[in-house]
Structure formats: C-alpha cells, structure tokens
C-alpha cells in the first residue's frame, strides 16, 4: 500500500467560541470517475470541507492523496463541477454514495476494497460526545473494472469475500468521532490529553488492521472511524428525585480473541483469550453554570493466563482441559500481568471463581496451576506490586440463595474497590476535553495512574480528600468543585469461560462501585446500595444484557443467568429449561460453526493475509497459521470472532454482485481427597501466633482432631517439606460465607498440594453458624458487615499489605 499526501497538517483554526466537537468530519460523499474516487468530507456544522483522492488505475495497489486545502461549501461545489467537466470524455463524475466514515481497506488476492459506513444510529452520549452504532455498510472495489484481471473474479477471491461478508458490523460495534471510545474516561481526561496529545490506543480497535495504512501515512484519523467491539448501553435513572446517567461499556481486545474452544488461556506475548474491559460511568448533567460531575470505574475479565486447551467434540459436551507444561517459568503469565500493570497500575487483584472440588479433574487442574504461577511471579515482586489472589468457588456457593451469593461477593468487591479507588472528575464549563491529535501507541500507559499511585497507597486519606473541595471565586458562579480522584489498579475476574460466573461477580462489583459513585457525585450520603434497591435491579438488568452479548460473541449462546433469574423471581422450572437450551445452543455452535467463525475474524483482523501461490485459509487445519500472512510472526496475537448468532444474522456483509457498490450488511483435576500430612499444615508456635485474639480463625489438625486457635501475627505457610515459604498475597475467601449463609457445612473446605511443584498447602475451614466463644462474641453480624463494610483486621491487613491469610 502506497499512500501519499500533499500536506500533513490540517489548516483548520478553531476559535475559542467554536464547539470543538463539531470540528471533526462526520459526513462524507463519495464520487467516482474512471481514474479516481473522490471523497468529500465535512464537519457537522458545515463549516469546512476536505477532499481525499483514491487512484483506480492500479489493479492491486492502493494510492491515496489527501488534499491539503480546506474548502468552503461554495468552493467545494465549484471543485466538483470542474472535476466533472474535466472527466467528461470518460463519463464524467458520478455520485456513488453518502457515508459516515471509512471502516478500512482490505486486499485478498488482487484488488483492494473500501469498507464504508452508509447508515448509523445514535446509541449514547458521553459528556456531549455522541456514540454511534453501524446500521448499514458497503464494500466497494477500488480498481476500475477495465484494469482488473481474471484473478479479481476467481473462485478463491469470491470465497474470501464471502468470509468477510459473514462479519456482522451492525451488531455490537460502536464508535465516536470526537471521543476516544477505545479509552476509559480516566485516560480521556487525564492531564496528558489536555495538551492535545491524545494517543490512538489500538488494543480495543477492531479495524486497526483495516485502517493501519491510511492512518500511518496520513498521520491522522480524519477519514476513518475506530470501531470498538463489545457492548454499550446508556440508561437514565433517578434517586431521590434526582436524575443521573448510567453507561456500561465493554471493550473486547482484538488480541488473541476468538471462539470459545479455539482460543483459550494465554499466548507467548501474554495476551489472553476473552480479554474484556468493562467500564461503568455515572454522571449528572450540569445546570446553572455548575460543573458536570462524572465518575467511572473499570474492571476486567480474561481467560486464565496459562497454556491450556480444550478441543470441541461432537461426542463430549464438556471436553477435557489440557494444561501444557511448556512454560515452566510462567514467562507468558508474567508478561500478561506486566501488561495489566502498565494499563491500570497497581494493585492487580485476581478473583478466581473456578471450582475447588470435582469428581473428574477439570477446573481444579487450572486452579492449582494458576496458584503455582502467581506464587512464582510474586517471589520477584514486592509491596503493592505483588498480585492479590483470591479463590472463591462460585459454583459451590451458587447452591445458596442468590441474595447470599451476591452479598458475599459484595464483601470481596468492597475491599477490592477500597484498594483501587474510583475515578471522579468535575468538568467545569470552561474546561476543554478530549483534544485529538494522532500519535499511535499500541500499549498505552495510563499516566494518570502513575501520577496518582501514591494517593492509593493511603486510601483513607484519599477518601477524605473528596471533602476538601474548592469553590468558584467568580461571583457570578456559585458552585464548589471537588478534587479529582483516580483509580489505580484493577480487579481481574475469571472463571473458565469468563462468561457466566464472571458476569455475576462483575455485577456485584459494579453494584458496590455504583454506591460509591453516587456518594461522590452527591446523590447519597452513604456509599452502600441494598440488593433490593430499585437501582440494584436496574444495574442487574444492564449487566445481564452485557453478559448475554459477550457470551454470544465468545461462547455462541446467551449467558447462563441462574442467579439473576432467581433474583428476578423467575419460575425455577422455566429457568432450568432456559439454561438447558442455552447449553445445547452453545454446544452446537462450538462444535460445528466456530471453525468457520474463527477464519472470518482472522481475515477481518488481518491475522491471515491471503497471498497468491500460498495455501488458502480453508486449506489449513488450524488457525495457528499467522506466519502464512505477509508480515509473518508479527501477526501472532491471535484472532477474534463475532457472535455465532450475529455472524449468521440478516445483518451480515453481502457478497459483491455486478454493480459497483455492495452492502456489507443486509437491509436493515479432581480435588485431592487425601488427608494432609502434618508437616504440610500450618504449625502454630508461640513466636508465630499470638493466640486469644479474634482477628482470624486458624484450625490445626492433630491425628484427625481439630483444635481451634486465634491469631493475628504474620502468617507463614509451609510447603510439603515443612520449609517456610513466602506465599503472600494468596487468599481463600470461602470464610466470608461462614456468618450463617453457608450452604455446605464443611469443616475442611479444601487442602491442596502438588508435591512436584512445591505448591503451597492451603487449609481453609468454614466456621459453622452455631459457633461460640470469643470469636463469635467479637464478630459483627453479617448485616452489620454489609452496611459498614468492616471485616477482621487480618483480612484488612491482607488487603492493604498482601499478607497470607488462612481462616
């Protein structure tokens, strides 16, 4: 691809009185002559016009010229008239279509094609910046028909076009002209963006490959849109008579994503499958000259970062999990968490929801492997840089009432939120936001996290800081502005698929965060929202919708929503029937359709680039073929897919027929049952534990008999050889269910040991509802814990300092 431009800098001057959001081209008209396409772009307010010229004389090359002139409407009309006159000998200048941005350019075996948005719809607004979805799109071949060879009409070329046609851009893709929708709100408004140096981060830009050439050569994004794939929902809610806006955004990473059984675990670059960032934004519209107050919180989900696979089989609805031993030093796992630290800062809190006991070892294999990996990584980390690891078997606890499960998850969420904080920013009327300039970076570090990391070391001080606002000294403006707050660190949740159980946990975290956000924005005095609050039900609806959408994209069916169904009061038999149907739908799609889906997304993302004389995509047995593409190993980040249902819907890309313009879419490991060896258990001595305290409940086993102790000192765990090991930052949180809500009364929750890997032995016990003694007397009731969010000093010490906690 060869692209030139006559001038890099746009000579558009924006005065202070001009709406900055209107200074982006949002509407385009495409014209064609025999030798060129002419794209005319203008801004929303019709104040300036630009021209892009695309050569049509080369059968397999793309040559684009950006006219440096900024035209008025009259000048632009005159230009089109002169172009028509100059091309009369070859048919003149013909109008092709109206469009709303370039999705990108793609080449299969010979000609280039241009993908355009021809219809759009508004789906939301962030700080006055409109967010759109695609309603209709078209694919146009670039070379004129007279210069195309037979290859352009070959069977293979048509088959590649058909593959691309199955990518449905009308579902779950969204974009904005004036707001960097691929970035979180915190990154958008952080200080480095105010200086006009907004970075074009491509992690969540799904048409990055399609637009790479034109962006890099023109050094701007004036003609292209950045498509984000995932979920977007905006609703207006009210509390105590005051209205506010709630936005839930899910951004799916373009790296190593794909269909459920074809993309599992991590790749060599530390990219994980089903990597999704979820952002929850709350804001109230400004009034009477007061600043708009806005807050957001980010959490993520992603596959367990180990090398593991599952192979779909028509004969097995639950394929075996195969854990590969090839990365014994956990280098890929380390790279993954280093990337998360760059993106979000510290601490990284891992909430692992997979099973702890199984008749046939499946999930437990990964649970043990994940523990070993995190422990290995933490040996080289110190302080807040250490990974905070929480095990919580959601499957076991989901046998309880849904209210109990969500309440227990809420406790974990409350402390995770205390660690990371939330983002809050008052937007004063004279504050200019989101100034765009093009500077590409595929791995952006959030500078606001770096600058504010010290704040989050002392969360109590940070929370107090909110009250120390400042007031406007302008006598005509009567308002107070609170100081900014930043989120540093992130909660990373996973189960096996990172779909069903993960979505429940993300809702629990979102509910805790919503309470805090409403308090910071001044809507409530307390940061706690009861599960029966109408806002909790509205939020659950939004997260359930997000969960279904993400599950379709990755798993092929809507999410399993047993807990949400129970909370809604759905008839149990109806819920069970619904779950069975979704299980069968997911099984069918994963078994019979996902291979085709994976190929489709690999084409769209550029992970496979066809070449004449090379094997075709459908001739390869696996999707691990990126070296076949033009850029070889550099394309080994994986591939992504759209949902099974969506890719086969009426909105799919249509294949090219005889006319010039074609629609892209239609019209509208079993848990160990062996008794633990004495040497592998915690040993309590006078210099290790201070007994008699109600800080944490430790249990020793002597010859099968239990002896209770209470301790508050530093915790030391021993491996199977009795050697003290540094296993900080691990936590089993099943003890949270011990306040009377436990469904299973088990004295020994789990004891895990892997002799070959010297894994830490985990001994966790649940206290029954009829406990007595000083521990019960000094412990608060569950209701009090839910209201004030207080826990034992040991748990708080673990959260703050990352110490090992056994209960």
């Amino acid at each position: 691809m060869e692209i030139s431009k006559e001038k890099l800098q746009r000579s558009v001057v924006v005065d202070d009185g001009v709406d900055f959001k209107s200074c982006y081209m949002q509407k385009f008209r495409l014209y064609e002559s025999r030798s060129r396409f002419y794209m005319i772009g203008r801004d929303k307010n019709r104040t300036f016009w630009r021209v892009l010229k695309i050569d049509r004389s080369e059968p397999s090359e793309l040559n684009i010229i950006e006219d440096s002139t900024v035209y008025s409407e009259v000048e632009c009309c005159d230009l089109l008239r002169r172009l028509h006159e100059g091309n009369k000998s070859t048919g003149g200048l013909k109008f092709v279509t109206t469009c709303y941005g370039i999705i990108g350019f793609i080449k299969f075996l010979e000609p280039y094609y241009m993908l355009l948005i021809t219809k759009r719809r508004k789906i939301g607004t962030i700080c006055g910046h409109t967010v759109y979805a695609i309603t209709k799109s078209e694919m146009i071949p670039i070379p004129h028909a007279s210069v195309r060879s037979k290859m352009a009409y070959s069977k293979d070329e048509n088959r590649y076009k058909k593959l691309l046609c199955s990518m449905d851009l009308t579902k779950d893709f969204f974009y904005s002209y004036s707001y960097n929708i691929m970035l979180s709100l915190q990154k958008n408004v952080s200080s480095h963006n105010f200086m006009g140096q907004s970075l074009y981060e491509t992690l969540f830009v799904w048409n990055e490959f399609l637009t790479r050439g034109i962006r890099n050569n023109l050094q701007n994004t004036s003609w292209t849109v950045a498509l984000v794939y995932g979920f977007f929902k905006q609703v207006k809610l009210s509390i105590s008579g005051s209205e506010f806006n709630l936005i839930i955004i899910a951004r799916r990473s373009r790296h190593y994503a794909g269909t459920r059984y074809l993309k599992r675990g991590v790749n060599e670059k530390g990219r994980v499958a089903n990597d999704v960032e979820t952002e929850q934004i709350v804001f109230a519209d400004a009034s009477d000259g007061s600043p708009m107050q806005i807050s957001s919180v980010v959490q993520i989900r992603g596959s367990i970062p180990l090398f593991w696979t599952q192979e779909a089989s028509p004969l097995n609805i639950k394929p075996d999990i195969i854990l590969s031993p090839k990365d014994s030093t956990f280098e890929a796992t380390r790279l993954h968490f280093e990337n998360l630290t760059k993106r979000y800062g510290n601490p990284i809190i891992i909430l692992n929801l997979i099973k702890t006991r199984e008749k046939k070892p499946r999930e437990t294999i990964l649970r043990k492997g994940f523990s070993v990996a995190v422990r290995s990584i933490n040996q080289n980390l110190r302080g807040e840089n250490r990974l905070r690891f929480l095990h919580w078997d959601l499957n076991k606890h989901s046998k309880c009432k849904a209210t109990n499960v969500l309440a227990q998850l809420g406790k974990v969420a409350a402390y995770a939120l205390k660690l990371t904080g939330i983002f809050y920013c008052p937007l004063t009327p004279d504050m200019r936001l989101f100034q765009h300039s093009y500077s590409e970076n595929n791995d952006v570090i959030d500078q606001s996290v770096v600058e504010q990391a010290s704040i989050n070391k002392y969360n109590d001080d940070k929370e107090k800081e909110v009250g120390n606002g400042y007031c406007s000294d302008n006598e005509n403006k009567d308002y107070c502005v609170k100081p900014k707050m930043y989120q540093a660190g992130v909660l990373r949740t996973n189960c096996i698929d990172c779909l069903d159980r993960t979505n429940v946990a993300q809702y629990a975290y979102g509910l805790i965060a919503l309470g805090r956000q409403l308090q910071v924005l001044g809507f409530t005095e307390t940061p706690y929202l009861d599960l029966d609050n109408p806002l909790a039900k509205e939020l659950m609806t939004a997260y359930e919708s997000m969960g279904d959408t993400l599950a379709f994209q990755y798993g092929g069916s809507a999410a399993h929503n047993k807990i949400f169904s129970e909370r809604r009061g759905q008839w149990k038999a109806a819920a069970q029937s619904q779950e069975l149907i979704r299980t069968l739908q997911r099984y069918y799609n994963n078994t019979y359709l996902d291979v085709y889906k994976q190929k489709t997304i690999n084409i769209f993302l550029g992970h496979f680039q066809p070449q004449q004389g090379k094997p075709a995509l459908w001739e390869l047995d696996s999707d691990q073929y990126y070296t076949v593409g033009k850029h070889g190993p550099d394309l080994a980040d994986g591939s992504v897919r759209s949902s099974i249902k969506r890719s086969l819907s009426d909105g799919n890309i249509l294949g090219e027929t005889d006319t010039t313009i074609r629609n892209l879419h239609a019209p509208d490991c079993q848990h160990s049952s062996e008794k633990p060896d004495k040497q592998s258990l915690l040993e309590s001595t006078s210099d290790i534990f201070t007994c008699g305290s109600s800080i944490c409940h430790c249990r020793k086993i002597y010859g099968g008999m239990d002896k209770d102790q209470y301790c508050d000192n530093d915790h030391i765990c021993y491996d199977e050889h009795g050697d003290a090991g540094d296993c900080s930052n691990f936590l089993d949180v099943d003890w949270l269910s011990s306040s009377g809500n436990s469904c299973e009364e088990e004295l020994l929750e789990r004891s895990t040991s892997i002799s070959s890997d010297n894994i830490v032995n985990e001994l966790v016990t649940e206290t029954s509802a009829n406990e007595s003694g000083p521990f019960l007397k000094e412990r608060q009731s569950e209701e009090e814990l839910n209201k004030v969010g207080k826990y034992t000093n040991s748990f708080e010490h673990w959260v703050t300092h990352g110490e090992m906690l056994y209960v």
Side-chain angles (χ1 to χ4, degrees):
M1 178 188 296
E2 180 183 350
I3 302 177
S4 62
K5 55 190 179 302
E6 298 175 6
K7 188 175 180 181
L8 289 178
Q9 300 297 328
R10 288 178 54 178
S11 56
V12 178
V13 179
V14 182
D15 298 328
D16 292 338
V18 176
D19 181 8
F20 193 80
K21 295 185 292 295
S22 68
C23 297
Y24 301 93
M25 291 190 293
Q26 299 189 21
K27 192 169 184 179
F28 307 84
R29 290 174 66 86
L30 185 67
Y31 298 85
E32 67 171 345
S33 68
R34 182 183 177 90
S35 59
R36 279 182 174 178
F37 280 114
Y38 295 90
M39 181 168 284
I40 312 298
R42 67 167 175 84
D43 66 323
K44 182 178 181 180
N45 293 336
R46 305 175 70 94
T47 57
F48 69 87
W49 276 254
R50 302 295 306 277
V51 178
L52 191 70
K53 307 169 187 177
I54 306 172
D55 182 67
R56 304 186 66 194
S57 61
E58 294 292 336
S60 59
E61 298 295 330
L62 183 62
N63 299 305
I64 299 178
I65 300 173
E66 183 183 35
D67 192 337
S68 61
T69 305
V70 178
Y71 297 92
S72 66
E73 184 170 9
V74 174
E75 293 171 337
C76 188
C77 290
D78 183 63
L79 173 65
L80 292 175
R81 181 185 57 79
R82 288 187 282 111
L83 287 173
H84 178 68
E85 292 294 331
N87 288 276
K88 271 190 173 181
S89 61
T90 56
L93 192 67
K94 300 176 182 178
F95 172 74
V96 178
T97 186
T98 297
C99 61
Y100 298 92
I102 298 175
I103 297 172
F105 297 89
I106 191 168
K107 175 183 177 181
F108 302 120
L109 297 176
E110 184 180 87
Y112 271 93
Y113 301 86
M114 178 167 53
L115 282 65
L116 303 175
I117 299 171
T118 53
K119 288 186 180 180
R120 65 184 182 183
R121 68 183 186 276
K122 178 180 176 180
I123 59 174
T125 303
I126 303 176
C127 301
H129 299 263
T130 304
V131 180
Y132 296 96
I134 300 174
T135 301
K136 185 180 180 182
S137 56
E138 298 178 0
M139 181 170 68
I140 303 171
I142 298 297
H144 190 268
S146 62
V147 300
R148 298 180 212 166
S149 70
K150 292 182 179 180
M151 181 61 70
Y153 306 98
S154 66
K155 181 180 178 180
D156 285 353
E157 180 78 10
N158 289 330
R159 191 167 178 178
Y160 280 122
K161 286 192 291 184
K162 184 178 179 181
L163 269 177
L164 185 65
C165 290
S166 63
M167 186 71 177
D168 186 359
L169 300 180
T170 66
K171 301 291 179 63
D172 309 330
F173 284 92
F174 50 92
Y175 67 96
S176 176
Y177 299 103
S178 56
Y179 179 83
N180 279 329
I181 194 69
M182 77 287 285
L183 301 178
S184 67
L185 179 70
Q186 177 167 313
K187 290 182 179 180
N188 265 300
V189 301
S190 57
S191 59
H192 67 290
N193 280 339
F194 288 128
M195 302 177 68
Q197 297 178 0
S198 174
L199 292 169
Y200 189 90
E201 183 176 355
T202 64
L203 175 61
F204 302 114
V205 179
W206 276 58
N207 60 331
E208 184 277 333
F209 165 72
L210 300 177
T211 62
R212 186 184 300 165
I214 185 173
R215 286 184 292 104
N216 290 345
N217 285 273
L218 297 184
Q219 290 297 297
N220 67 54
T221 57
S222 300
W223 303 92
T224 60
V225 298
L227 292 182
V228 177
Y229 184 44
F231 177 82
F232 185 98
K233 185 178 183 65
Q234 180 169 358
V235 293
K236 181 161 293 216
L237 304 174
S238 64
I239 181 171
S240 302
S242 300
E243 290 189 338
F244 66 91
N245 290 277
L246 171 70
I247 299 177
I248 305 296
I249 305 174
R251 305 176 180 95
R252 183 177 292 280
S253 170
R254 65 183 175 87
H255 297 294
Y256 198 61
T259 53
R260 183 183 179 206
Y261 287 141
L262 293 176
K263 285 291 176 288
R264 290 296 212 192
V266 69
N267 67 6
E268 289 80 1
K269 294 186 177 182
R271 306 290 190 179
V272 296
N274 201 19
D275 182 0
V276 181
E277 174 185 276
T278 299
E279 182 176 23
Q280 179 173 298
I281 300 175
V282 178
F283 68 93
D285 295 328
S287 60
D288 301 327
S290 61
M292 173 188 287
Q293 297 191 85
I294 189 165
S295 172
S296 76
V297 65
V298 171
Q299 56 180 319
I300 60 173
R301 67 176 74 188
S303 189
I304 295 174
L306 302 173
F307 288 97
W308 61 282
T309 59
Q310 281 181 287
E311 292 188 8
S313 169
L315 304 178
N316 188 359
I317 199 169
K318 295 182 70 176
D320 292 338
I321 292 175
I322 303 173
L323 180 60
S324 171
K326 74 175 187 176
D327 188 17
S328 59
T329 60
F330 305 109
E331 179 65 18
T333 310
R334 182 187 62 79
L335 288 174
H336 171 67
F337 287 113
E338 284 182 355
N339 177 263
L340 292 187
T341 300
K342 290 178 181 178
R343 284 160 55 183
Y344 304 106
N346 285 313
I348 303 299
I349 306 161
I350 306 164
L351 179 56
N352 185 28
L353 303 173
I354 61 179
K355 295 177 182 178
T356 57
R357 292 187 178 183
E358 298 174 294
K359 291 182 180 180
K360 180 180 179 180
R362 294 180 69 257
E363 296 187 15
T364 49
I365 297 174
L366 294 179
R367 182 184 181 276
K368 294 176 182 179
F370 202 6
S371 298
V372 174
V374 173
R375 183 189 180 200
S376 174
I377 293 170
N378 271 344
Q379 288 178 350
N380 298 318
L381 301 176
R382 294 293 179 267
E384 68 172 11
N385 295 329
R386 299 172 72 86
L387 304 175
R388 313 297 177 96
F389 199 19
L390 295 86
H391 285 297
W392 201 74
D393 185 348
L394 180 57
N395 183 72
K396 187 194 78 170
H397 292 291
S398 63
K399 299 174 184 177
C400 310
K401 291 183 178 180
T403 302
N404 296 340
V405 174
L406 293 173
Q408 294 162 25
L409 281 171
K411 297 174 184 179
V412 178
Y415 262 99
L417 192 68
K418 182 180 179 182
L419 273 173
T420 64
I422 65 173
F423 173 72
Y424 163 78
C425 179
L427 305 181
T428 56
D430 58 346
M431 184 182 294
R432 178 175 291 175
L433 298 180
F434 318 122
Q435 299 185 18
H436 286 228
S437 69
Y438 182 79
S439 177
E440 183 161 346
N441 191 332
N442 292 333
D443 199 16
V444 167
I445 299 175
D446 191 346
Q447 296 298 330
S448 62
V449 169
V450 176
E451 295 167 4
Q452 296 295 327
S454 60
I455 293 179
N456 282 34
K457 289 182 180 180
Y458 306 98
N459 287 279
D460 291 337
D461 293 338
K462 178 169 69 71
E463 298 298 330
K464 293 177 182 177
E465 182 186 45
V466 175
N468 300 325
Y470 59 89
C471 295
S472 171
D473 56 2
N474 189 331
E475 59 182 9
N476 296 323
K477 297 180 180 179
D478 183 18
Y479 60 81
C480 289
V481 178
K482 300 174 184 177
K484 293 180 186 177
M485 300 170 59
Y486 290 90
Q487 176 178 344
V490 73
L491 174 65
R492 183 198 192 277
T493 306
N494 73 265
C495 49
I496 291 297
D497 296 322
C498 303
L499 297 177
D500 313 316
R501 287 171 285 182
T502 294
N503 205 58
V504 173
Q506 289 207 328
Y507 161 68
Y509 184 78
L511 182 61
I512 296 296
L514 179 61
R516 183 72 184 99
Q517 289 174 295
L518 292 176
Q519 182 195 36
V520 170
L521 295 179
F523 288 102
T524 61
E525 295 181 357
T526 173
Y528 304 104
L529 285 178
D530 188 84
L531 283 168
D532 294 323
N533 190 299
L535 291 179
K537 297 179 180 179
E538 293 284 354
L539 187 69
M540 185 181 75
T541 300
Y543 272 83
E544 186 175 9
S545 178
M546 178 186 73
D548 287 341
T549 299
L550 297 179
F552 266 119
Q553 294 167 7
Y554 181 66
S557 76
H560 293 289
N561 293 320
K562 173 185 174 184
I563 292 176
F564 290 153
S565 298
E566 183 181 332
R567 283 293 298 161
R568 286 197 311 270
Q570 185 175 353
W571 186 34
K572 187 175 181 179
Q576 290 175 339
S577 298
Q578 176 181 274
E579 296 302 294
L580 176 60
I581 292 173
R582 292 180 177 182
T583 297
L584 294 176
Q585 182 183 11
R586 192 174 291 185
Y587 161 74
Y588 176 80
N589 287 330
N590 296 161
T591 304
Y592 299 104
L593 303 179
D594 277 359
V595 172
Y596 183 85
K597 285 293 303 170
Q598 190 75 60
K599 295 181 188 301
T600 297
I601 304 305
N602 290 344
I603 284 288
F604 185 83
L605 294 178
H607 294 318
F608 179 87
Q609 298 178 48
Q611 288 180 275
Q612 296 186 37
K614 299 289 186 178
L617 177 60
W618 44 87
E619 295 174 352
L620 303 173
D621 295 331
S622 169
D623 74 323
Q624 306 297 327
Y625 44 61
Y626 305 126
T627 54
V628 176
K630 294 182 180 180
H631 300 290
D634 292 338
L635 297 174
D637 273 344
S639 59
V640 198
R641 61 183 292 264
S642 64
S643 72
I644 305 296
K645 180 177 179 180
R646 287 158 174 71
S647 69
L648 300 179
S649 71
D650 290 338
N652 296 343
I653 301 172
L654 296 181
E656 183 191 6
T657 60
D658 294 333
T659 58
T660 303
I661 308 302
R662 293 294 168 262
N663 286 333
L664 276 166
H665 302 286
D668 282 322
C669 108
Q670 183 179 2
H671 192 281
S672 174
S673 59
E674 298 178 2
K675 294 183 180 180
D677 187 87
K678 289 183 180 180
Q679 292 182 350
S680 67
L681 302 176
L682 286 176
E683 297 182 2
S684 177
T685 59
S686 58
D687 61 333
I688 298 178
F689 299 118
T690 303
C691 299
S693 167
S694 62
I695 300 304
C696 74
H697 185 203
C698 298
R699 200 177 290 270
K700 285 174 54 180
I701 298 180
Y702 295 91
M705 300 296 292
D706 294 344
K707 182 177 289 187
D708 292 345
Q709 288 188 333
Y710 308 92
C711 44
D712 64 355
N713 238 12
D714 292 337
H715 308 295
I716 300 178
C717 63
Y718 291 83
D719 62 21
E720 63 193 5
H721 305 295
D723 299 327
D726 180 10
C727 27
S728 302
N729 297 76
F730 281 78
L731 173 66
D732 252 307
V733 290
D734 283 335
W735 67 279
L736 291 173
S737 64
S738 64
S739 54
N741 287 327
S742 178
C743 303
E744 302 177 41
E745 296 182 358
E746 298 174 334
L747 292 177
L748 186 61
E749 170 58 29
R750 51 181 166 269
S751 177
T752 308
S753 61
I754 304 178
S755 58
S756 61
D757 294 307
N758 292 332
I759 190 171
V760 58
N761 291 282
E762 302 177 31
L763 179 62
V764 181
T765 61
E766 292 186 4
T767 55
S768 62
N770 60 354
E771 280 181 308
S772 60
F775 182 64
L776 180 62
K777 291 179 181 178
E778 294 189 25
R779 186 203 303 173
Q780 292 177 298
S781 68
E782 184 188 12
E783 181 178 359
E784 292 171 332
L785 288 174
N786 285 336
K787 288 183 177 180
V788 301
K790 292 184 179 179
Y791 304 85
T792 64
N793 291 341
S794 282
F795 184 54
E796 186 168 0
H797 188 67
W798 173 85
V799 171
T800 306
H801 302 290
E803 297 298 331
M804 185 68 181
L805 178 61
Y806 274 104
V807 286

